[in-house]
């Protein structure tokens, strides 16, 4: 091939490469970040909690679970110990809603200052399991059904013997808030109405409790669970 032919071919190749470079965007787009699941451990945006894992929590240290007769009062039943256990059913990509099955919730070390009562025999959550949802915004909703409503039974001692007070929620649900900063779930003044029981059972019970830390007990070391 003549020398100028080889030069021409080289120039053509340079021109082609220059055109391709010029066609590329001036600033390359950043790689798309991997989407986080709604529930992760051991930090926000961490590893997705597996379906089937068990999430557990007890009362935040130094706090009580309370069932008071008014939203701002202090008359009623107070429990120094409480815990819950829930199984993860779904854990989609954020923003979304994860679902769980609340399989256990206990209240122990309870006392009463209700007039006419002398002690607490038991506080029992009935009709478990309950369906539970957790949104990316941190809204936790516990829901019952018509056949298995959200219900708690409180057995109190009185001067006349044991009395049984049964409470249900009017909307068949309880709503709490999950907070990553404190790795907690808090329920504040959730209303339960007396379903049955004598006059010593107050008509409305306002339930308040904060559970922390919230942990994935199916994982080694029970790491904290966070909402995304």
């Amino acid at each position: 091939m003549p020398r100028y032919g080889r030069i021409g071919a080289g120039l053509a190749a340079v021109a082609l490469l220059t055109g391709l470079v010029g066609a590329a965007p001036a600033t390359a787009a950043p790689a798309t970040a991997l989407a986080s699941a709604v529930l992760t451990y051991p930090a926000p945006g961490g590893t997705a909690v597996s379906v089937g894992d068990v999430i557990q929590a007890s009362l935040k240290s130094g706090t009580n679970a309370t069932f008071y007769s008014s939203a701002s009062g202090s008359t009623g039943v107070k429990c120094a110990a409480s815990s819950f256990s829930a199984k993860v059913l779904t854990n989609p990509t954020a923003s979304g809603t994860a679902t769980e099955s609340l399989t256990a919730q206990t209240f122990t070390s309870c006392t009463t200052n209700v007039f006419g009562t002398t002690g607490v025999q038991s506080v029992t959550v009935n009709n478990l399991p309950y369906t539970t949802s957790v949104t990316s915004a941190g809204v936790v909703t516990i829901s019952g059904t018509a056949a298995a409503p959200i219900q708690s039974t409180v057995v109190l001692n009185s001067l006349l013997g044991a009395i049984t007070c049964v409470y249900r929620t009017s909307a068949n649900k309880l709503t709490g808030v999950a907070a990553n900063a404190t790795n907690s779930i808090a329920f504040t003044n959730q209303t339960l109405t007396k379903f049955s029981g004598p006059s010593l059972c107050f008509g409305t019970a306002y339930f308040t409790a904060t559970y922390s830390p919230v942990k994935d007990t199916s994982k080694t070391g029970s790491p904290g669970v966070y909402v995304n």
Side-chain angles (χ1 to χ4, degrees):
M1 175 184 293
R3 186 169 179 271
Y4 68 82
R6 291 196 297 270
I7 294 173
L11 292 175
V14 170
L16 177 60
L17 289 173
T18 303
L20 290 174
V21 172
T27 303
T32 302
L34 293 177
S36 173
V38 175
L39 303 176
T40 61
Y41 73 92
T47 304
V49 173
S50 302
V51 170
D53 279 10
V54 175
I55 294 175
Q56 294 180 344
S58 298
L59 287 179
K60 180 182 177 181
S61 179
T63 69
N64 299 294
T66 57
F67 299 86
Y68 286 156
S69 60
S70 68
S72 58
S74 58
T75 298
V77 173
K78 178 171 64 176
C79 300
S82 178
S83 64
F84 75 80
S85 180
K87 182 179 180 179
V88 177
L89 301 179
T90 64
N91 187 21
T93 301
S95 297
T97 300
T99 59
E100 304 168 3
S101 176
L102 179 65
T103 56
Q105 188 169 20
T106 61
F107 298 90
T108 55
S109 301
C110 302
T111 58
T112 174
N113 62 356
V114 177
F115 179 77
T117 64
T118 59
V120 180
Q121 286 192 16
S122 62
V123 177
T124 305
V125 177
N126 309 123
N127 301 326
L128 292 167
Y130 298 141
T131 298
T132 303
S133 63
V134 184
T135 71
S136 288
V139 178
V140 179
T141 304
I142 301 173
S143 302
T145 65
I150 293 178
Q151 177 178 295
S152 293
T153 300
V154 182
V155 181
L156 303 173
N157 294 326
S158 75
L159 298 176
L160 300 177
I163 63 171
T164 299
C165 310
V166 178
Y167 293 91
R168 290 182 177 179
T169 61
S170 58
N172 214 4
K173 68 178 181 179
L174 297 171
T175 302
V177 177
N180 285 346
T182 53
N183 188 208
S184 66
I185 297 175
F187 298 90
T188 304
N189 287 332
Q190 295 299 290
T191 305
L192 298 95
T193 303
K194 185 174 75 172
F195 178 74
S196 65
S199 59
L200 281 179
C201 306
F202 43 85
T204 303
Y206 292 86
F207 169 59
T208 296
T210 299
Y211 295 90
S212 177
V214 181
K215 298 180 177 181
D216 184 344
T217 58
S218 296
K219 295 294 188 294
T220 301
S222 297
V225 175
Y226 297 85
V227 179
N228 304 275

